[in-house]
Amino acid sequence: METVIDIQRLSKSFGNHEVLKDIHFSVNKGEVVCIIGSSGSGKSTLLRCVNLLEKPSGGKIIYHGENILDDKHDIHAYRRRLGMVFQQFNLFNNHNVLGNCVIGQMKVLKRSKEEAEKVALKYLKVVGMDRFVNAKPRQLSGGQKQRVAIARALSMEPDVLLFDEPTSALDPEMVGEVLKVMKELAETGLTMLIVTHEMEFAKEVSDRVVFMDKGVIAEEGSPDQIFNHPTGERTREFLKRTL
Ligand code: ADP
Ligand code: MG
């Protein structure tokens, strides 16, 4: 199996506060890995370290055989290969749906407007938002905004798509439409790393589940192992509170 990202001994401190400790894990091509764990356990920080929105304090991020934390490495080239979907959508409110999906392609990938619009439309169709190309974000529901944010990330055709609690800011009735799109993407073989509180979704869609607790990976395994046969006391406690 081809490894896309391999994290080794990753650590992150904010001042004296060590938020991530000795994190090891990898994401293989076509795999869906869900990260679960209590609030404050370091899940967002881990994702932000993976895409270098935060600078790790130590460890390695091996991408296609190279440690991208080496000084000589071109982190911009690496970051272009990762997509990110945030809890708060982070759409540009002054641009319409199509604009949101073409800006990054033109600026970062240097695609022509025509090419970028073609690609954007393709992915807006995938998420069922192609009828809304001219809408401004404020005219959309939360679920629709998040689907546009997913189309925008897909338009960059990343190697890995990272999601940080993509449904946590949504009204309950809109969670389903976003999870459905994510499930469809998972089935197309997209490589995905997803922080989520949606345990049913994680159980159904993941190839692997990572349970984080107080800055460490406390347990990792198949959804069946983690949800039906957890071995760690902390995993059991967490699931008892959550399920
Ligand atoms: P989670 O996403 O699992 O809820 P986070 O990664 O957001 O957890 O946070 C983990 C810990 O790191 C928390 O104690 C949080 O307060 C701390 N933290 C996160 N970001 C920062 C920051 N920019 N500065 C200082 N502390 C931070
Ligand atoms: Mg978080």
Side-chain angles (χ1 to χ4, degrees):
M1 213 183 308
E2 186 189 330
T3 303
V4 183
I5 296 180
D6 187 20
I7 308 287
Q8 299 178 1
R9 290 183 16 244
L10 190 87
S11 62
K12 174 69 184 173
S13 299
F14 293 106
N16 293 332
H17 185 190
E18 196 176 28
V19 171
L20 296 177
K21 296 162 217 169
D22 197 30
I23 301 280
H24 289 256
F25 85 99
S26 57
V27 183
N28 296 315
K29 193 158 191 259
E31 219 180 11
V32 177
V33 179
C34 281
I35 302 175
I36 61 171
S38 310
S39 176
S41 57
K43 306 179 299 298
S44 294
T45 305
L46 176 57
L47 275 199
R48 293 170 62 81
C49 281
V50 168
N51 73 3
L52 302 181
L53 284 171
E54 296 286 356
K55 192 175 184 299
S57 306
K60 293 181 179 179
I61 300 176
I62 310 287
Y63 174 73
H64 289 305
E66 288 188 60
N67 179 15
I68 52 114
L69 298 180
D70 277 349
D71 286 341
K72 64 176 168 47
H73 208 88
D74 179 4
I75 63 166
H76 300 289
Y78 166 74
R79 296 200 59 208
R80 275 202 289 278
R81 304 306 309 144
L82 305 186
M84 180 97 174
V85 175
F86 301 88
Q87 187 174 335
Q88 298 294 346
F89 329 123
N90 295 10
L91 294 178
F92 303 111
N93 289 321
N94 53 336
H95 286 281
N96 66 18
V97 164
L98 191 63
N100 267 280
C101 296
V102 303
I103 294 170
Q105 295 187 65
M106 291 173 65
K107 280 206 173 139
V108 179
L109 303 180
K110 310 293 178 204
R111 286 180 180 154
S112 69
K113 186 159 183 265
E114 207 180 23
E115 166 80 8
E117 288 185 351
K118 206 171 105 194
V119 174
L121 264 180
K122 172 176 154 189
Y123 291 109
L124 284 166
K125 270 200 189 102
V126 167
V127 303
M129 287 300 292
D130 50 312
R131 288 185 297 115
F132 294 83
V133 281
N134 294 316
K136 287 281 179 68
R138 66 179 140 73
Q139 297 170 301
L140 304 177
S141 72
Q144 291 173 329
K145 279 188 232 188
Q146 195 56 301
R147 287 190 281 144
V148 171
I150 293 171
R152 175 177 63 178
L154 288 170
S155 295
M156 303 296 283
E157 302 184 314
D159 284 350
V160 189
L161 199 45
L162 313 176
F163 294 82
D164 192 1
E165 297 197 30
T167 60
S168 293
L170 301 178
D171 292 334
E173 67 269 26
M174 289 166 191
V175 170
E177 69 189 70
V178 172
L179 293 182
K180 179 167 169 280
V181 164
M182 291 172 64
K183 186 159 175 260
E184 286 164 3
L185 291 175
E187 284 162 2
T188 67
L190 190 72
T191 310
M192 297 159 81
L193 181 58
I194 306 169
V195 172
T196 186
H197 285 297
E198 297 290 336
M199 295 302 145
E200 282 306 315
F201 170 80
K203 207 187 253 185
E204 201 180 337
V205 172
S206 314
D207 295 296
R208 223 144 28 86
V209 179
V210 169
F211 168 64
M212 285 190 69
D213 185 60
K214 300 192 179 79
V216 302
I217 294 181
E219 191 165 351
E220 179 185 340
S222 69
D224 181 52
Q225 276 169 281
I226 297 293
F227 291 109
N228 302 330
H229 313 283
T231 56
E233 189 54 41
R234 291 184 288 179
T235 321
R236 286 199 212 114
E237 279 295 315
F238 171 76
L239 291 173
K240 205 158 59 185
R241 272 184 279 130
T242 314
L243 294 179

